[in-house]
Amino acid sequence: MMKGTVAVVGRPNVGKSTVFNRIIGERKSIVDDTPGVTRDRIYGQTEWLTQPFYLIDTGGIQLEDQAFADEIGMQVDIAIEEADVILFLVNAIEGVTDDDIAIARKLQKSKKPVVLAVNKADNENLRMSIYDFYTLGLSDPIPMSAEHGTGVAEVLDEIVKYLPDKKLKVYDGMTTFCVIGRPNVGKSSLVNAILKEDRAIVSNVEGTTRDAVDTPFRYEGRDYVIIDTAGMRKRGKVWENIEKYSVLRAVSAIERADVVLFLIDGEKGIRDQDKHVAGLAHDEGKGVIIVYNKWDTVEKDERTMNEISKKIREEFKYLSYAPIAFVSAKTGARVNTLLPLIDQVHDACTMRVPTNVLNDVIMDAQMMNPPKPHNGKQLRIYYASQVSVSPPTILIFVNEPELFHFSYKRYLENKLREAFGFIGTPIRIHARKR
Ligand code: GDP
Ligand code: GDP
C-alpha cells in the first residue's frame, strides 16, 4: 500500500513544527537531520491506529526567491498539491486572524479534506475559544495543545479517517525507475537523453491520484517506466528550486520506483543536500544507481574516475552496494550504459536465493569467522531463509537475537554479496529467536 500524506499548514508561530515533532516523536525521519536545526526536518513517517502516513511540516519550506512574496500562500499550495489530508493549525490564544481566513479560503477551494486544530488550547478557558473558529467555514475545530500533548490523539483520529486506501500502481513485468537529485543536476536532461534514442514510448499514463506522469517505453525487448512528477514540471523551475520541496517530490517518485537513479552534479561536485536525497532511496529499500552526471565538464585523466569513485564511497557509506555510472546527459556520453545497469539492479532487487544455497553460504561464513561470545554467551545461528524481495530480506533464526550484533550482520551481508552479487540493492537481515 502507498502511504498517505498529511501536510501541516498555518501561519507562522501557531505551532506547526511543535505539532510535527510531537506527532513524529523520536522516530527517525526519513530525511536525515542536521543537528541543531529543528526546522531542517520537514518530512517524517509515522503511524496511527496501524495506518502509516507521511507528515510534512510546510512551515519548513521557505522561499529563497524574492519574486515570490507570499510564503504562506506557497506553503498552502504545496500542501494542497502534495497532501491527501491537510492539518490546518490555528492559535487559540490569538483567535481568528485575516491570514487564517485567507488560508481557509484556499483550502475550501481545493476540496481536500481539512482537519482544523486549534492549538495552544492549554486550559479550559482557551479550549472554549474553539467556537470562534467555526467562522472559518471548515470542519469542526478540535482543541489541542502541542506543548502539553492534549488533544493530539483526537486530531490524529480525525486525520486517519480521511487517509485514502491508496494502492501503488502496478506495472507487471516492467521495470520502473526514477531520477532524483538536487535542482539542476540534470534530471530532465537525463530523462530526455534516455528517451531520445529510438525508444518506443507507449504513451504517458496517469501515475497515481496525484498528478504524476509515468512514461512507459520499450527497449531491446524489455519494458520500462520512468516515474516522473508532473507537478514539478507544471510548476516550473521556481518551485523546483525550493530545495525542500524538491526533496519532498523525490519521496513520492521513489516510493513508486523499483530502481532509483541518484544524480550528482559532476560540475559542482558533492553537496550536503545530496546526502538527504540519497538517504531517501536507501531508507525506502530501493535499488540505487549513483549517476555522476556532467562528466563532460570534468577535467580528467585515467585516474579521475577512480578518485571520484573513492570520494563517493566515502561520502555515501550506506550506499556501498550502489554501482556508479559516469555520464553526460548533455552529450549523451555513456547514457547507453544506464538501461543495462538498471536491468542488472532490478534483477538483484528481485532475486530469490534458494534456501539450501543460502544456508550453505551462511554456515560457511559462520565456520570461517564464528561470532564472538558476549558476556560469556555465544550466538548460535540455526537456519536462514529469504522471506521477501525488493529489497531482499533474510530472516535468520538464532538462539538469542540480542547477541546478533550489527558488525556480525554486516559481515554476513558482505558474504551474501560476495556469493550472490546483489548489486545495487540493500539487503535486510533480521534475527528471530527460534
Ligand atoms: P510554527 O512557526 O507554526 O512552526 O510554530 P512553532 O512550532 O515554532 O511554535 C511557535 C511557538 O509556539 C513556540 O514558542 C512554541 O513553543 C509555542 N507553542 C507551540 N505549541 C504550543 C501550545 O500548545 N501551547 C503553547 N502555549 N505554546 C505552544
Ligand atoms: P534538473 O533541474 O535536475 O532537471 O536539471 P536540468 O536537466 O534542467 O539541467 C540543468 C542544467 O544543466 C541545464 O542547463 C542543462 O543543460 C545542464 N546539464 C544537464 N546535464 C548536463 C551534462 O551532462 N553536461 C553539461 N555540461 N550540462 C548539463
Side-chain angles (χ1 to χ4, degrees):
M1 203 184 65
M2 198 164 164
K3 295 181 199 85
T5 302
V6 180
V8 190
V9 303
R11 320 180 264 112
N13 274 316
V14 289
K16 293 183 296 300
S17 84
T18 312
V19 167
F20 175 88
N21 289 328
R22 169 75 67 183
I23 293 177
I24 298 298
E26 294 307 304
R27 272 164 278 209
K28 180 178 171 291
S29 112
I30 53 175
V31 180
D32 253 51
D33 290 335
T34 308
V37 190
T38 43
R39 255 297 156 63
D40 205 61
R41 180 171 75 163
I42 60 158
Y43 211 94
Q45 320 188 28
T46 187
E47 58 172 55
W48 184 250
L49 308 174
T50 74
Q51 278 249 43
F53 61 92
Y54 292 114
L55 187 68
I56 304 169
D57 169 13
T58 63
I61 305 171
Q62 266 134 20
L63 293 172
E64 278 132 43
D65 199 306
Q66 294 303 320
F68 233 152
D70 179 11
E71 191 152 272
I72 307 178
M74 176 272 304
Q75 292 169 355
V76 175
D77 285 343
I78 286 177
I80 290 169
E81 188 146 329
E82 292 299 318
D84 302 301
V85 184
I86 293 166
L87 172 58
F88 177 22
L89 280 195
V90 289
N91 181 337
I93 298 171
E94 289 174 35
V96 180
T97 71
D98 288 346
D99 279 337
D100 291 337
I101 295 169
I103 295 171
R105 294 240 167 84
K106 265 191 167 195
L107 294 177
Q108 267 166 339
K109 262 194 240 145
S110 79
K111 308 236 162 30
K112 289 260 164 145
V114 175
V115 173
L116 174 61
V118 184
N119 191 37
K120 310 199 186 185
D122 303 337
N123 56 46
E124 196 46 44
N125 230 354
L126 286 165
R127 274 193 286 279
M128 294 303 284
S129 74
I130 61 165
Y131 297 104
D132 300 341
F133 293 95
Y134 276 97
T135 57
L136 293 176
L138 296 163
S139 53
D140 292 344
I142 307 170
M144 75 175 288
S145 167
E147 206 129 282
H148 301 175
T150 51
V152 180
E154 287 75 8
V155 168
L156 287 168
D157 282 346
E158 199 58 22
I159 286 173
V160 296
K161 271 190 211 159
Y162 295 108
L163 280 176
D165 182 15
K166 285 199 295 191
K167 300 268 184 313
L168 279 177
K169 190 176 182 81
V170 179
Y171 292 99
D172 261 340
M174 301 170 103
T175 301
T176 57
F177 66 95
C178 67
V179 180
I180 63 168
R182 288 188 289 124
N184 289 315
V185 289
K187 296 180 294 297
S188 1
S189 306
L190 185 67
V191 168
N192 290 335
I194 291 174
L195 292 174
K196 193 165 72 191
E197 294 164 43
D198 246 2
R199 315 271 192 260
I201 299 177
V202 185
S203 68
N204 286 345
V205 292
E206 286 286 305
T208 51
T209 48
R210 247 176 250 156
D211 52 355
V213 170
D214 302 338
T215 310
F217 65 96
R218 176 160 255 268
Y219 179 67
E220 294 196 339
R222 282 183 81 142
D223 291 308
Y224 304 86
V225 184
I226 299 184
I227 306 284
D228 200 357
T229 38
M232 199 137 89
R233 278 184 301 206
K234 199 172 66 196
R235 293 289 179 180
K237 285 285 178 199
V238 188
W239 278 53
E240 202 188 333
N241 279 328
I242 303 169
E243 271 194 16
K244 295 221 163 115
Y245 182 55
S246 60
V247 171
L248 217 136
R249 296 298 316 205
V251 179
S252 47
I254 290 167
E255 195 183 10
R256 299 189 304 120
D258 299 318
V259 178
V260 176
L261 304 190
F262 159 54
L263 261 64
I264 299 173
D265 186 333
E267 196 172 10
K268 301 221 168 88
I270 299 166
R271 295 286 162 86
D272 275 348
Q273 201 207 343
D274 288 325
K275 288 174 200 167
H276 291 221
V277 180
L280 296 172
H282 174 74
D283 289 349
E284 288 285 309
K286 301 298 178 160
V288 183
I289 298 170
I290 299 171
V291 180
Y292 203 78
N293 188 37
K294 309 200 186 179
W295 190 230
D296 58 298
T297 65
V298 179
E299 223 179 284
K300 47 190 164 288
D301 58 34
E302 66 289 345
R303 283 170 314 201
T304 313
M305 216 182 254
N306 272 338
E307 282 163 8
I308 293 176
S309 297
K310 223 172 110 193
K311 175 114 175 70
I312 292 174
R313 293 298 177 214
E314 273 163 25
E315 298 280 347
F316 303 95
K317 287 212 169 68
Y318 52 94
L319 289 181
S320 58
Y321 52 83
I324 305 173
F326 294 84
V327 309
S328 167
K330 192 170 183 180
T331 68
R334 305 162 81 96
V335 169
N336 62 359
T337 61
L338 291 177
L339 287 177
L341 205 51
I342 289 170
D343 291 342
Q344 220 184 336
V345 170
H346 184 234
D347 290 347
C349 294
T350 52
M351 176 162 53
R352 277 187 193 278
V353 179
T355 304
N356 57 338
V357 182
L358 178 67
N359 278 284
D360 284 349
V361 172
I362 300 271
M363 294 310 150
D364 281 353
Q366 207 187 205
M367 219 131 67
M368 249 156 50
N369 174 20
K372 299 199 174 35
H374 271 267
N375 301 329
K377 279 200 189 158
Q378 175 71 39
L379 173 75
R380 286 185 205 295
I381 295 178
Y382 301 114
Y383 181 76
S385 167
Q386 184 178 348
V387 288
S388 63
V389 295
S390 302
T393 304
I394 314 273
L395 202 55
I396 298 191
F397 291 91
V398 300
N399 57 338
E400 287 295 339
E402 306 82 70
L403 296 174
F404 195 35
H405 277 255
F406 177 78
S407 58
Y408 204 69
K409 210 177 259 190
R410 179 52 69 76
Y411 164 70
L412 290 183
E413 178 180 336
N414 288 336
K415 287 291 158 192
L416 293 173
R417 289 189 185 281
E418 271 172 32
F420 308 113
F422 286 126
I423 181 172
T425 177
I427 301 177
R428 304 230 157 119
I429 299 179
H430 301 297
R432 228 5 106 65
K433 193 178 174 73
R434 192 188 68 173

